[in-house]
Amino acid sequence: MSTAAQAATGRTVTTNIPARLDRLPWSRWHWTIVIGLGTVWILDGLEVTVVGNIASRLSEPGSGLPITSGEVTGIAAALYVAGACVGALFWGRLTDRWGRKKLFMITLAVYLAATALTAFSFDTWWFLLFRFLTGFGIGGEYAAINSAIDELIPAEYRGRVDLMINGSFWLGAVGGSLLSIVALNTDVFAANVGWRLTFALGAVLALVILLVRRHVPESPRWLLIHGRDGEAERIVSAIERQVEAEKGEPLPPAEGEITIHQRRSVSFVEIGRTVFSEYRRRAILGFSLFIGQAFLYNAITFGFGAILTTFFDVPSGDTGYYFAVIALGNFCGPLLLGKLFDTVGRRVMISSTYLLSGLFLFGTAWLFDQGALSASTLTACWCAVLFFASAGASSAYLTVSEVFPMETRAMSIAFFYALGTAAGGISGPLLFADLTSTGKVGDTVLAFQIGATLMCAAGLVAAFLAVHAERRSLEDIAKPLTAAATKARTKVTAAGTPGSRDSQGPRGPQGPKTATA
């Protein structure tokens, strides 16, 4: 570490704060974190689904907006994706520099404002501009939220909580499907009003979440590294008092401590060298997981409406019901399988969910090619595929947020999110739109097979490269760049009781010890 980096704060700190956070039992305070930070994915699912479902209404005369359906599903969708990619990279860098809380408040405020202004669209350029800015805010949310969640949730529960929160996107998709059915009913709302109300509702929900987030603290881990150890100590002590009051008994002592040189920032060069050189195998893993899930999802969801209407004569107005069923299957995967990622383990569960979803999609392709499916049975097959795929896709976000050092966490999430979003939102539509719109069975089968192949390939990569991160401290999985030395930390049980590791360090004091560097 350079002298200039150390001179940013001029102190070395020895602390057991990470161990104290990881040994906490589950409590009401943790539910506050889940609600305050996790519910934003519901908004993302709502946004994406609503826009796809209202495309036909926006293009109709009397909608109040001179725009075509192609502009909504093509240009507007591309701008939303571009905004998410740019936002992830822009806000991700600031999340590592300015802190998790500041950024998850700012990015949600950007989303709220952009969504509200979309409801007031009066011309095509206005609608397109604020679709980009909506994506810009959402992209930043992924980096800020996943960083904060992993750093605040105890190691014992990190996997299942992260999967459940990322999977909640699909609750928003269910809501978006059902909401669009009501909003587009001209017997209920005028043609130029219903679609505006859907965006207004998204803004109202964002405002509620913003108010809840005021009570979510900054990550003590981030504060420690950036020279604010006194504030970190106050936050953790307050959490401990709250948990002890709820449980009615003292918490067990935290085992293990870490010594760090405090610094205010890490350069892009150091981030790049760390992620792509020192952790090259983990970077390959992250790349594989994100690309695999992006193409599998596009193979199914991008053309699902066209497939149902073309091959099974499902009325276009009824496809929202089928999508709601698919979305529910997506949410159930992370919800029901999440605990296994903490108990059975990351490598087994990540590789198996990817491989099973890919194999099930191969089977669906074969049945579809044989003409053995109806609209209902095809939807059932999709549900089975996406039940496993959703857990796998959510584990991709979990993986890149926990296998890289603390100082690079938000930027790593942002990079892989932008990569996967670009692949899914740009390459995917260009490939699968042509295949699923021809009306030829063979072309749709090929789309399924491409998605299944890439998902299975990612599963094989995970079988060899996935990190055994279950129930381990983040500092054990990837040592912070600022770490000077570590004493072995101990694994903690769900109740907070210290467990065994290869070696156990001495019991640390309740708070950081500082020294001038």
Side-chain angles (χ1 to χ4, degrees):
M1 184 176 302
S2 69
T3 303
Q6 293 186 41
T9 60
R11 293 194 304 163
T12 298
V13 177
T14 299
T15 180
N16 65 351
I17 280 180
R20 289 161 65 188
L21 288 169
D22 280 334
R23 66 77 151 90
L24 291 173
W26 191 261
S27 66
R28 287 193 297 268
W29 183 84
H30 294 105
W31 279 117
T32 301
I33 301 302
V34 170
I35 295 170
L37 299 183
T39 45
V40 73
W41 301 152
I42 297 176
L43 293 181
D44 191 13
L46 185 74
E47 277 284 328
V48 173
T49 308
V50 161
V51 172
N53 288 343
I54 67 174
S56 59
R57 176 53 47 81
L58 284 173
S59 62
E60 292 176 359
S63 71
L65 195 62
I67 194 170
T68 66
S69 179
E71 288 174 327
V72 177
T73 58
I75 299 175
L79 285 172
Y80 181 86
V81 169
C85 294
V86 173
L89 297 172
F90 177 79
W91 298 117
R93 175 60 172 160
L94 295 181
T95 299
D96 280 332
R97 289 176 62 89
W98 293 358
R100 291 19 175 162
K101 180 168 185 174
K102 184 176 292 186
L103 267 295
F104 65 59
M105 297 296 284
I106 292 174
T107 52
L108 183 57
V110 170
Y111 166 85
L112 190 159
T115 301
L117 289 169
T118 303
F120 293 97
S121 296
F122 59 89
D123 204 349
T124 301
W125 69 267
W126 181 280
F127 182 83
L128 297 178
L129 171 63
F130 286 103
R131 289 308 296 159
F132 174 85
L133 291 177
T134 301
F136 188 68
I138 283 291
E141 284 280 290
Y142 275 89
I145 298 303
N146 279 293
S147 299
I149 289 169
D150 282 359
E151 291 165 13
L152 290 170
I153 297 298
E156 191 75 20
Y157 305 96
R158 189 174 60 240
R160 71 196 77 177
V161 171
D162 202 300
L163 260 70
M164 181 181 69
I165 286 174
N166 281 285
S168 67
F169 172 96
W170 295 102
L171 281 182
V174 173
S177 296
L178 301 178
L179 177 63
S180 63
I181 293 171
V182 176
L184 298 184
N185 187 339
T186 53
D187 293 332
V188 179
F189 299 108
N192 65 341
V193 173
W195 66 268
R196 297 182 189 275
L197 291 178
T198 61
F199 290 109
L201 178 61
V204 170
L205 292 175
L207 179 61
V208 173
I209 295 172
L210 194 64
L211 295 175
V212 174
R213 281 190 184 176
R214 294 181 305 162
H215 304 291
V216 177
E218 179 57 86
S219 164
R221 285 176 158 103
W222 184 88
L223 291 170
L224 279 172
I225 286 177
H226 290 79
R228 296 162 63 181
D229 43 284
E231 187 177 346
E233 171 62 28
R234 288 192 295 273
I235 289 173
V236 174
S237 295
I239 296 169
E240 290 173 331
R241 288 194 297 270
Q242 183 175 335
V243 173
E244 286 179 336
E246 177 186 336
K247 302 301 181 183
E249 59 184 8
L251 292 168
E255 297 284 343
E257 57 187 22
I258 184 170
T259 300
I260 60 173
H261 293 306
Q262 294 179 326
R263 60 197 293 186
R264 299 199 186 282
S265 64
V266 179
S267 69
F268 268 121
V269 173
E270 189 167 2
I271 292 174
R273 182 172 62 248
T274 300
V275 174
F276 299 109
S277 179
E278 296 180 28
Y279 290 93
R280 183 168 53 252
R281 288 163 61 91
R282 297 182 183 189
I284 293 171
L285 172 66
F287 176 82
S288 301
L289 296 181
F290 270 88
I291 295 300
Q293 61 88 23
F295 275 87
L296 178 134
Y297 269 95
N298 274 278
I300 294 176
T301 59
F302 190 83
F304 93 97
I307 293 170
L308 292 175
T309 56
T310 302
F311 296 103
F312 302 105
D313 297 322
V314 174
S316 58
D318 292 344
T319 58
Y321 294 107
Y322 289 89
F323 190 79
V325 173
I326 294 171
L328 189 60
N330 270 282
F331 177 67
C332 288
L335 181 66
L336 299 178
L337 299 178
K339 184 177 181 179
L340 299 178
F341 284 77
D342 286 324
T343 54
V344 175
R346 303 285 201 266
R347 178 171 292 183
V348 171
M349 290 306 299
I350 294 173
S351 58
S352 62
T353 51
Y354 270 73
L355 288 169
L356 284 171
S357 60
L359 292 174
F360 278 18
L361 187 54
F362 273 125
T364 301
W366 183 80
L367 292 172
F368 184 80
D369 189 41
Q370 298 298 308
L373 298 174
S374 64
S376 297
T377 54
L378 176 60
T379 300
C381 288
W382 279 339
C383 280
V385 171
L386 297 176
F387 176 84
F388 293 103
S390 182
S394 295
S395 72
Y397 291 95
L398 168 66
T399 297
V400 299
S401 67
E402 68 180 359
V403 301
F404 297 108
M406 162 79 193
E407 298 86 345
T408 69
R409 179 162 296 122
M411 198 62 206
S412 298
I413 297 168
F415 173 78
F416 288 103
Y417 167 76
L419 181 71
T421 301
I426 299 173
S427 304
L430 289 175
L431 173 64
F432 295 117
D434 290 339
L435 290 175
T436 57
S437 63
T438 62
K440 297 179 181 178
V441 170
D443 288 344
T444 300
V445 169
L446 178 59
F448 289 170
Q449 291 173 338
I450 292 172
T453 298
L454 291 174
M455 198 69 171
C456 286
L460 292 175
V461 171
F464 290 98
L465 299 184
V467 179
H468 293 292
E470 59 276 5
R471 302 183 303 282
R472 292 175 62 193
S473 167
L474 294 171
E475 291 74 20
D476 284 341
I477 300 169
K479 187 172 72 172
L481 302 181
T482 49
T486 58
K487 296 181 180 180
R489 278 173 292 279
T490 59
K491 188 183 297 184
V492 294
T493 66
T497 304
S500 62
R501 279 203 187 276
D502 293 337
S503 62
Q504 296 185 7
R507 184 171 300 168
Q510 294 300 305
K513 297 180 293 189
T514 63
T516 301

